[in-house]
């Protein structure tokens, strides 16, 4: 589903149009740009809610927000990569899968 700016502001209790525009300018929220207006996805709305929770509920300073968002983005990226690796392992012949999983299960030298 796609949301307009007005729908995003209506959906998130503490959000104002000014805050949304500021966060877009900062790059914290990156909506899709159309020919005449921008739209927001459900993921964008969830990110807006997260920023509101960080700044309003948890009193995180605005200088820390981009750091937190970057870390979250990195975690999501790593999860996507891990899913791709798991899918690739699952497609391997049983002896190869067993060898990979055995190697993963080994404890690294400390």
């Amino acid at each position: 589903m796609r949301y307009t700016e007005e729908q995003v502001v209506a959906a998130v209790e503490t959000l104002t149009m000014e805050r949304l525009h500021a966060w877009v300018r900062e790059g914290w929220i990156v909506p899709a740009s159309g020919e005449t207006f921008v739209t927001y996805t459900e993921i964008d709305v969830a990110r807006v809610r997260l920023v509101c929770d960080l700044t309003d509920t948890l009193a995180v300073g605005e200088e820390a927000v981009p750091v937190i968002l970057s870390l979250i983005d990195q975690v999501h990226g790593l999860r996507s990569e891990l899913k791709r690796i798991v899918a690739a392992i699952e497609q391997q012949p049983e002896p190869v899968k067993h060898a990979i999983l055995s190697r993963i299960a080994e404890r690294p030298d400390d």
Side-chain angles (χ1 to χ4, degrees):
M1 179 173 181
R2 295 286 181 167
Y3 298 86
T4 64
E5 290 180 330
E6 292 78 13
Q7 290 171 320
V8 174
V9 170
V12 182
E13 186 177 324
T14 60
L15 184 65
T16 65
M17 193 66 74
E18 293 78 21
R19 288 177 89 186
L20 179 59
H21 289 167
W23 296 347
V24 169
R25 278 192 309 274
E26 291 291 328
W28 299 354
I29 310 297
V30 183
S33 295
E35 289 183 20
T36 56
F37 58 91
V38 297
T39 59
Y40 297 83
T41 64
E42 291 183 27
I43 292 172
D44 295 326
V45 175
R47 193 172 177 99
V48 166
R49 284 191 175 103
L50 172 64
V51 174
C52 284
D53 285 345
L54 290 172
T55 57
D56 300 341
T57 306
L58 300 175
V60 170
E62 289 197 9
E63 65 283 349
V65 171
V67 174
I68 294 169
L69 293 175
S70 174
L71 292 170
I72 290 170
D73 291 343
Q74 289 176 46
V75 168
H76 283 291
L78 290 170
R79 286 184 66 194
S80 295
E81 285 295 311
L82 284 173
K83 285 180 183 179
R84 289 181 46 221
I85 291 168
V86 167
I89 292 170
E90 287 295 321
Q91 294 176 356
Q92 300 305 308
E94 284 303 319
V96 174
K97 280 198 286 192
H98 180 72
I100 292 170
L101 295 174
S102 293
R103 182 70 175 134
I104 290 171
E106 291 177 8
R107 295 191 64 106
D109 295 333
D110 290 321

